[in-house]
């Protein structure tokens, strides 16, 4: 288990160990204690109430059908349109002039989109996609930076029942290709280039490379974002401004079944091949909307919300697009990095728009800490009334700094645990109810049930570390892995098959007071700045280099990024170790195959790797080496002398 936050970290005596909500916050909060009572009384009736916050074209006949477990059906026979709920509904309610998106471009350009304008744009895109011959059930790949057109594209897909697959624009052409092929996407939506730290970097060449003879791809739709020169394939490539911008802004949303596939999002598993996590419509939107309303205490028409994630990750899907927009949010969407043109950027944006709810990742909080408090202190951040954290455990020190420096010492922090697979937040404080402990995600939300168990499935008492399982189905749960239902069953449901529990892949414990601490992944998935990357994926990229015979990759603790990637490689016979040159080539290979975010922090050439007698690489020991720890028990190892060889380098 690799853990960034741990109860023992909070042994300080001079700081509060828990932070109750202020009486004023509690009094005005969307969620009070009655929410838990309602869920405890009748869980399915509770979820039906939450679903009723949305507009349904036709009501469901049953809340849950779990007879085909582990594939759930929620809101059976219900008919709903996600885009209608996120856009049209607000316009029809007379809120069309409200700003939906304050877009802040990296070079400083800005654009406000009202709900009226968002509806027109989404309708134009939907009409264009229809003209291109796309029909409900077809897949669309989206490979775009954080610009409004990316959100418009997602909503237009949802409106038409097209299943979108957003691929993070930092992924390589190779990664894009494998995702396009796996989902058999017919359309790829992208940009000419993207802004990164003041520079325009072409993105379309990666798409050209990725879709060259990709059997499924018929069209590539391109938003002109930077004006960089790009190659053009006539008949395949289309400009957004020649098509979408000229299409009719009128479009009537059709209802889709509650279980219609809304999106596929690829995430790293324990093998080299990413898993296409499938989410459907009615249950997903219900939980996305419910959690956004209650966990962030979002007040329509008053709050200015900012989630700093990218739409390439699930946090962007659920807490930039579907959750917030379903609740009629006014939100900031920022295209760039936090230090472009300088480290003041986020705080300037908070000040400029009066951001009141700010949801980010621990790695960014730790980066802010490194830059120093004089930077946020130079700004008026008094608009902030709630802070959120996601992606990895937040260490108590970062938690307290976040609250004191960014939150002015008096706002609640919601530390939200969830996964691509869970679709929405599962474990989190309720900001007006929970006395939050720094570093703890506290408790499953009302309507959600989680247990901490040992290998045999025994439920563990307070103070004992074990595995986090979800023992009841939930509305926004994944419905499978695209094209591989067998892998779905094996990955998540085989471990506790007798009990019928979902195995989350995380270690956790309840402390003596019953607060839940997530302790990090227990499988071979690393968490780098909140990004999931599997050791196997990086290993397979490394052995793709002609000089490498074998590779072993581990995630070692890193002060800023949570974990950093450390690789050990064995060279092929006769390959010369050219030192920095070789290491540089290997790092480039990983960037090319996966993404620069998967580039190892450190690569060490070794003569041998520690293996068990059955031939399995002992990653725990490699992690110990990478983190400079004592080696502990090496008795199951074939040849303990390999350590001297590895370390003596
Ligand atoms: C980790 C991101 C501790 C965890 C939404 C999980 C967390 C994985 C937290 C999912 C948190 C996420 N505290 N750990 N608040 N939030 N994690 O799929 O290991 O990108 O299994 O979803 O991130 O990462 P994913």
């Amino acid at each position: 288990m690799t853990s960034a936050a741990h109860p023992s970290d909070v042994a300080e005596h001079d700081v509060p160990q828990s932070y109750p909500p202020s009486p004023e916050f509690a009094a005005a909060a969307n969620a009070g204690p009655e929410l838990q009572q309602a869920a405890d009384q009748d869980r399915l009736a509770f979820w039906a109430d939450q679903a009723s916050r949305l507009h349904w074209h036709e009501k469901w006949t049953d809340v849950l059908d779990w007879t085909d477990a582990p594939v759930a059906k929620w809101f059976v026979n219900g008919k709903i349109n996600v885009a209608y709920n996120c856009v049209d509904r607000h316009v029809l309610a007379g809120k069309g002039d409200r700003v939906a998106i304050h877009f802040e471009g990296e070079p400083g350009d800005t654009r406000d989109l009202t709900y009226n304008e968002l509806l027109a744009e989404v309708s134009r895109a939907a009409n264009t996609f229809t003209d291109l011959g796309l029909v409900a059930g077809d897949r669309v790949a989206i490979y775009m930076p954080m610009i409004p057109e990316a959100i418009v594209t997602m909503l237009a897909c949802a409106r038409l029942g097209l299943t979108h697959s957003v691929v993070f624009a930092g992924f390589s052409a190779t990664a894009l290709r494998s995702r396009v092929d796996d989902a058999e996407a017919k359309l790829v939506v992208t940009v000419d280039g993207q802004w990164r730290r003041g520079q325009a970097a072409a993105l379309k060449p990666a798409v050209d490379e990725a879709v060259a003879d990709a059997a499924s791809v018929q069209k590539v739709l391109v938003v002109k974002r930077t004006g960089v020169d790009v190659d053009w394939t006539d008949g395949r490539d289309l400009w957004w401004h020649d098509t979408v911008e000229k299409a009719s802004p009128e479009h009537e949303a059709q209802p889709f079944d509650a279980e219609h596939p809304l999106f596929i999002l690829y995430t790293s598993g324990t093998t080299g091949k990413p898993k296409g996590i499938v989410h459907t419509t009615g249950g997903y939107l219900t939980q996305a909307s419910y959690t956004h309303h209650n966990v962030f205490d979002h007040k329509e028409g008053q709050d200015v919300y900012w989630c700093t994630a990218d739409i390439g990750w699930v946090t962007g899907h659920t807490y930039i697009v579907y959750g917030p927009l379903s609740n009629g949010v006014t939100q900031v969407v920022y295209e760039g990095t936090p230090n472009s043109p300088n480290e003041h950027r986020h705080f300037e944006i908070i000040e400029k728009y009066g951001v009141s709810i700010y949801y980010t990742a621990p790695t960014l909080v730790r980066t802010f800490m490194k830059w120093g408090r004089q930077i946020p202190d130079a700004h008026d951040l008094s608009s902030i009334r709630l802070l959120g954290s996601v992606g990895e455990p937040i260490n108590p020190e970062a938690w307290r700094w976040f609250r004191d420096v960014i939150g002015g010492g008096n706002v609640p922090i919601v530390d939200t645990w969830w996964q691509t697979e869970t679709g929405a937040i599962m474990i989190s404080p309720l900001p007006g109810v929970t006395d939050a402990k720094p570093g703890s995600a506290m408790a499953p939300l009302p309507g959600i049930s989680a247990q901490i168990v040992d290998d045999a499935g025994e439920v563990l008492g307070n103070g004992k570390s074990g595995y986090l399982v979800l023992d009841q189905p939930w509305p926004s749960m994944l419905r499978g892995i695209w094209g591989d239902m067998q892998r779905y069953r094996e990955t998540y449901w085989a471990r506790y098959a007798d009990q019928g529990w979902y195995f989350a892949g995380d270690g956790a414990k309840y402390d003596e007071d019953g607060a839940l601490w997530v302790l990090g992944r227990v499988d071979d998935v690393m968490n780098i700045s909140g990004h999931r990357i599997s050791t196997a994926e990086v290993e397979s990229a490394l052995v793709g280099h002609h000089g490498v015979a074998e590779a072993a990759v581990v995630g070692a603790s890193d002060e800023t990024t949570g974990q950093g990637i450390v690789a050990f490689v064995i060279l092929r016979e006769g390959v010369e170790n050219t030192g920095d040159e070789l290491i540089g080539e290997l790092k480039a290979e990983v960037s090319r195959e996966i993404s620069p975010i998967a580039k190892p922090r450190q690569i060490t050439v070794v003569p041998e790797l520690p293996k068990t007698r059955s031939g399995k690489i002992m990653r725990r020991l490699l992690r110990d080496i990478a983190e400079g720890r004592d080696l502990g028990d090496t008795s199951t190892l074939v040849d303990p002398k390999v350590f001297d060889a590895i370390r003596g380098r």
Side-chain angles (χ1 to χ4, degrees), residues 4 14 57 73 107 127 130 133 180 210 247 259 275 298 308 339 354-355 389 409 424-425 435 484 504 576 603 649:
D14 50 340
H57 281 77
K73 288 196 186 79
N127 283 320
T130 304
V180 163
E259 286 301 333
K275 306 175 278 197
H298 173 254
T308 70
N339 53 352
V355 170
S389 166
I425 297 170
D435 293 2
D484 198 347
E576 193 196 343
I603 301 180
R649 189 192 91 84

Side-chain angles (χ1 to χ4, degrees), residues 267 313-315 389-394 415-421 427 441 504-506 518-521 527 530-532:
T267 190
W313 313 111
V314 75
T315 306
S389 166
V390 62
E392 53 174 317
I394 179 164
D415 175 1
T416 62
W417 178 88
W418 59 295
Q419 309 178 296
T420 304
E421 291 86 343
I427 300 176
D506 279 308
V518 177
L519 302 170
R521 303 289 308 191
N527 190 327
H531 298 148
R532 268 167 76 167

Side-chain angles (χ1 to χ4, degrees), residues 141-370:
I142 302 175
Y143 186 61
M144 300 172 89
M146 289 295 297
I147 56 175
E149 289 83 353
I151 296 170
V152 167
T153 301
M154 291 167 76
L155 290 167
C157 287
R159 192 174 189 87
L160 296 171
L162 305 171
T163 303
H164 61 66
S165 161
V166 181
V167 180
F168 175 55
F171 275 132
S172 67
T174 318
L176 174 62
R177 174 59 180 267
S178 68
R179 286 158 175 77
V180 163
D181 282 349
D182 188 72
E184 296 175 286
K186 286 191 176 166
L187 171 69
V188 181
V189 187
T190 189
V191 291
D192 56 345
Q194 55 182 340
W195 293 107
R196 276 292 170 257
R197 298 181 202 283
Q199 302 289 318
L203 191 66
K204 184 163 181 290
V207 178
D208 292 336
E209 187 189 332
V211 308
D213 19 273
S216 62
V217 175
Q218 295 168 358
K219 298 285 178 204
V220 174
L221 181 59
V222 188
V223 174
K224 186 177 259 181
R225 173 61 187 140
T226 57
V228 291
D229 278 340
V230 291
D231 289 342
W232 207 251
T233 303
D234 288 326
R236 186 197 70 188
D237 297 349
L238 301 164
W239 284 113
W240 181 277
H241 54 259
D242 287 340
T243 52
V244 178
E245 283 177 20
K246 297 198 170 134
S248 159
E250 308 288 329
H251 183 272
E252 197 180 330
Q254 302 300 314
F256 291 97
D257 190 86
E259 286 301 333
H260 189 78
L262 178 65
F263 67 85
I264 304 170
L265 183 58
Y266 289 84
T267 190
S268 293
T270 51
T271 72
K273 190 176 181 301
K275 306 175 278 197
I277 303 301
V278 177
H279 282 286
T280 61
T281 297
Y284 170 79
L285 193 65
T286 295
Q287 195 174 330
S289 194
Y290 155 73
T291 50
H292 176 262
H293 178 72
N294 290 296
V295 174
F296 298 113
D297 192 49
H298 173 254
K299 304 277 198 288
E300 202 183 341
Q302 298 172 30
D303 278 310
V304 178
Y305 168 87
W306 184 13
C307 164
T308 70
D310 188 286
I311 48 143
W313 313 111
V314 75
T315 306
H317 284 60
T318 308
Y319 296 108
I320 293 176
V321 185
Y322 297 115
L325 292 174
S326 73
N327 289 324
V329 79
T330 294
Q331 72 177 322
V332 170
V333 169
Y334 172 49
E335 183 183 28
T337 46
N339 53 352
S340 182
N342 58 49
E343 290 82 8
H344 289 268
R345 193 69 190 263
H346 271 221
F347 310 112
E348 278 165 6
I349 294 174
I350 291 172
E351 206 171 8
K352 173 173 173 188
Y353 294 105
V355 170
S356 54
I357 303 172
Y358 179 71
Y359 186 33
T360 194
T363 183
L364 188 62
V365 176
R366 291 193 294 266
T367 303
F368 289 156
M369 288 171 76
K370 250 192 346 210

Side-chain angles (χ1 to χ4, degrees), residues 86-88 90-92 94-103 111-124 148 151-152 155 325 328-331:
C86 291
V87 190
D88 306 42
H90 310 309
V91 172
L92 293 170
K95 302 166 191 165
D97 289 333
R98 178 186 297 165
V99 173
I101 295 173
H102 289 298
F103 171 66
R111 183 179 164 200
D112 282 349
L113 266 104
T114 63
Y115 277 94
N116 278 332
E117 288 163 336
L118 190 60
L119 176 58
E121 289 255 334
V122 171
S123 299
R124 285 192 181 100
I151 296 170
V152 167
L155 290 167
L325 292 174
V329 79
T330 294
Q331 72 177 322

Side-chain angles (χ1 to χ4, degrees), residues 494-558:
R495 180 114 177 209
Y496 295 106
D498 292 346
Q499 298 88 343
W501 294 340
Y502 169 91
F503 171 57
D506 279 308
K509 76 189 280 181
Y510 282 109
D511 69 13
E512 298 305 337
D513 303 324
L516 193 153
W517 295 74
V518 177
L519 302 170
R521 303 289 308 191
V522 293
D523 54 11
D524 292 329
V525 174
M526 300 174 288
N527 190 327
I528 317 298
S529 297
H531 298 148
R532 268 167 76 167
I533 297 166
S534 84
T535 54
E537 239 174 312
V538 180
E539 285 163 4
S540 111
L542 286 167
V543 296
H545 185 277
H546 61 85
V548 175
E550 208 179 339
V553 166
V554 295
S557 317
D558 185 289

